[in-house]
Amino acid sequence: MIKPIAHISSPFPAKFGVPRQPGLVPSLKAEIIFEPEYRISEALRGLEGYSHIWVIWEFSESVRDTWSPTVRPPRLGGNKRVGVFATRSPFRPNPIGLSVLELEKIELSTPNGPVIHVKGADLIDNTPIYDIKPYLPHIDSIPDAKAGFAGDVVSNKLSVVIPENLFELIPPAHRASVKAILEQDPRPGYQKDDTREYGFFYADMEIKFIVQDSVLTVTELTFPHRIS
């Protein structure tokens, strides 16, 4: 039986808006905070020598009692079914996720014990983490590997328009990440309604937007949990 060794501290309280793959938003920062029994700095000895790590985690928001042998990937429009093992869908027999993240730094002495700071995370806040392993570029990187149907999907970034009065509301530390997240088109792959206003939460902000002709325009930005 396995159990979580840590959890992620991420700016995303919910799934909507989270990048679909790790590394798509390199500036996106998160922290790996260990559970009390694993807060042992010796367990991280030598990890600082690596630039990236593999993180094995749980799709905690997608746990189900049943599973389907086929799924409908959003990137294929949500209309075509393929085998679950040919996708990275969260709806799997075992809801296990795998991400390679940039290791920014390690703090060994904090109120929460040793903390690993990472970049490019595609995990929602409080996601359980089961293991951490070093990424080895000479073994883990295969430049001529085939990408299957995923390699045939064209992913064009959106043009993002953030009105100046709204842009100034974004804390400077989050401005690059917000723009990069929006460029990736946070909408589900099967929802492309150019009359609908979408929204998601990120770092205490609620960001609302519309998309028309490949241009995403931020329409509203609020801080719903901020006490005035």
Side-chain angles (χ1 to χ4, degrees):
M1 179 178 180
I2 63 173
K3 59 182 180 179
I5 63 167
H7 67 273
I8 199 84
S9 178
S10 161
F12 290 100
K15 292 186 294 184
F16 196 101
V18 177
R20 294 180 177 88
Q21 300 293 341
L24 288 179
V25 182
S27 60
L28 188 57
K29 297 187 177 185
E31 299 174 354
I32 296 175
I33 300 175
F34 289 90
E35 300 301 322
E37 65 181 294
Y38 298 105
R39 293 176 181 177
I40 304 171
S41 59
E42 285 83 357
L44 302 180
R45 185 183 300 163
L47 188 63
E48 72 280 355
Y50 297 91
S51 65
H52 293 75
I53 55 175
W54 286 108
V55 177
I56 301 170
W57 48 278
E58 179 184 48
F59 286 106
S60 52
E61 298 294 306
S62 304
V63 176
R64 296 181 173 184
D65 293 330
T66 60
W67 70 285
S68 171
T70 61
V71 295
R72 295 183 295 178
R75 282 304 190 187
L76 292 182
N79 298 315
K80 181 179 179 180
R81 283 192 171 274
V82 297
V84 64
F85 299 126
T87 76
R88 297 190 178 189
S89 168
F91 304 111
R92 324 183 66 79
N94 293 305
I96 300 299
L98 180 67
S99 297
V100 60
L101 306 178
E102 181 181 349
L103 196 166
E104 183 180 23
K105 66 178 179 178
I106 300 174
E107 285 187 285
L108 294 178
S109 298
T110 80
N112 293 317
V115 172
I116 301 177
H117 295 257
V118 295
K119 298 173 69 175
D122 56 337
L123 292 77
I124 67 172
D125 189 46
N126 214 37
T127 293
I129 294 173
Y130 288 111
D131 203 2
I132 297 165
K133 300 177 185 290
Y135 176 88
L136 304 177
H138 62 290
I139 294 175
D140 296 332
S141 176
I142 305 176
D144 58 350
K146 295 181 179 179
F149 68 83
D152 298 330
V153 178
V154 177
S155 179
N156 295 320
K157 290 185 178 180
L158 298 176
S159 297
V160 174
V161 175
I162 306 177
E164 185 175 354
N165 63 312
L166 299 182
F167 183 77
E168 291 177 350
L169 296 176
I170 304 174
H174 292 298
R175 288 174 180 173
S177 294
V178 167
K179 185 174 184 294
I181 292 165
L182 295 173
E183 286 176 341
Q184 296 293 331
D185 193 352
R187 298 174 299 169
Y190 50 85
Q191 292 184 10
K192 301 298 182 184
D193 186 348
D194 62 4
T195 65
R196 177 175 175 178
E197 184 179 56
Y198 298 84
F200 66 98
F201 291 91
Y202 172 80
D204 296 327
M205 296 176 282
E206 183 177 15
I207 303 169
K208 295 183 179 180
F209 63 91
I210 58 173
V211 179
Q212 297 177 332
D213 298 326
S214 297
V215 176
L216 184 152
T217 303
V218 175
T219 55
E220 186 177 356
L221 192 151
T222 59
F223 296 81
H225 303 299
R226 179 178 292 182
I227 300 176
S228 58

